[in-house]
Amino acid sequence: GGGEIILACCRDVFINKEMYMDLSFISAWLDDLLEPKSFNDYCVNGLCVEASDKVTRIVTGVSLRDQLIDAAIAEKADCIIVHHPNGFWKGERQLPVGKFGERLRKLMVHGISVFGFHLPLDGHREIGNNAVIAKNLGLNPVYEFAYEGMRPIGVIAEWNTPATREEFLDCLDAAFEHGVQNKFFYGSEQIKRVAICSGSCSASAVREAMEKNCDAYVTGSIKEEIPIFCQENGVNLVSCGHHRSEIFGVSALAEKIQTELSIPTKFVDCDNPV
């Protein structure tokens, strides 16, 4: 049809024998996939830095940082997509001075545009952090929770048969390269239904998950009051690191771009132990 011809025209364009896409096409494709306007977020979602109007090679990563930019330069990428668009959170100065200005200059000099997608990459039902974690744990999604705007970011999923606490930890060690950072077992000894919410953990989200009869809660990082809340309310909870619970979305996004758009795309993990 006509739409297929237009898409082919957008895709099959080459510079120096290398295929490229218009930045505007990539931006529209990402917006259509991730639906950022459905989330009540506290950062820019979408295009943050426009350094070129073309995209030939993409790098994805968890957080915008010097190490990731240097990796993109080494890969000869002209686009970076991150989960944490550091420098573009609401309330930040966003003036091109100091470290932020230095970073912008490096991006502009090397022609590297930047996209950031925060909550949309937590809550996406296919490539979101929580959906991928559930899949890697062998869980079957049954509910969503923790609404942020019109869309939830958390996933509630379960096994067909319950697991012991030891089996639960074995599954987590297999799913997370660096394993579990903190574990608090004050709830059921048999775990079947699991709530998953990457990044940081709030007591309200844990409470909502427990109201949906979850046997355990998997998250990234925790605040001081969370162990107390777990103990006083009989909750099983494990944390695996904020960064380390959020490598999954940007990694899955890289695979999807490579497959569907045929643009060379690589996930680069600049590890952060917290």
Side-chain angles (χ1 to χ4, degrees), residues 39-189:
F39 295 87
N40 182 21
D41 214 333
Y42 32 94
C43 67
V44 172
N45 278 303
L47 185 61
C48 300
V49 177
E50 185 175 355
S52 172
D53 61 353
K54 302 290 187 292
V55 175
T56 63
R57 194 172 293 268
I58 299 172
V59 160
T60 71
V62 176
S63 299
L64 185 60
R65 55 190 291 187
D66 291 346
Q67 188 178 356
L68 183 64
I69 296 170
D70 290 340
I73 294 169
E75 293 290 332
K76 294 181 169 39
D78 42 28
C79 181
I80 293 174
I81 304 173
V82 293
H83 180 53
H84 296 145
N86 294 338
F88 297 94
W89 300 100
K90 290 179 180 176
E92 289 189 299
R93 293 175 65 201
Q94 297 179 342
L95 295 175
V97 298
K99 169 53 70 174
F100 186 55
E102 175 188 326
R103 184 172 291 158
L104 288 178
R105 287 195 302 275
K106 180 181 283 190
L107 290 166
M108 288 296 184
V109 165
H110 291 277
I112 302 173
S113 300
V114 176
F115 290 90
F117 290 97
H118 184 228
L119 295 181
L121 265 175
D122 286 316
H124 194 275
R125 294 184 178 99
E126 175 196 355
I127 61 168
N129 290 312
N130 299 311
V132 177
I133 291 171
K135 180 181 178 181
N136 291 352
L137 289 172
L139 293 160
N140 304 307
V142 291
Y143 294 115
E144 297 172 313
F145 77 109
Y147 272 77
E148 295 287 350
M150 294 182 289
R151 291 280 301 278
I153 59 172
V155 171
I156 293 175
E158 59 185 31
W159 285 297
N160 293 329
T161 57
T164 65
R165 291 174 176 174
E166 291 74 19
E167 290 169 336
F168 177 52
L169 289 174
D170 286 343
C171 287
L172 289 165
D173 284 336
F176 291 88
E177 180 182 356
H178 300 279
V180 172
Q181 290 189 352
N182 298 284
K183 56 182 182 290
F184 308 98
F185 287 114
Y186 298 110
S188 171
E189 293 190 5

Side-chain angles (χ1 to χ4, degrees), residues 231-251:
Q231 183 179 27
E232 294 180 347
N233 291 275
V235 174
N236 294 323
L237 183 145
V238 298
S239 64
C240 300
H242 192 128
H243 170 100
R244 291 169 178 176
S245 70
E246 295 187 326
I247 64 171
F248 302 96
V250 282
S251 178

Side-chain angles (χ1 to χ4, degrees), residues 220-274:
S221 59
I222 58 173
K223 297 181 180 179
E224 185 272 342
E225 70 269 17
I226 293 299
I228 300 170
F229 179 89
C230 291
Q231 183 179 27
E232 294 180 347
N233 291 275
V235 174
N236 294 323
L237 183 145
V238 298
S239 64
C240 300
H242 192 128
H243 170 100
R244 291 169 178 176
S245 70
E246 295 187 326
I247 64 171
F248 302 96
V250 282
S251 178
L253 177 60
E255 292 181 13
K256 191 172 185 69
I257 292 171
Q258 178 89 34
T259 299
E260 296 191 8
L261 300 183
S262 300
I263 292 291
T265 306
K266 180 178 181 180
F267 165 61
V268 175
D269 186 17
C270 304
D271 189 39
N272 186 340
V274 300

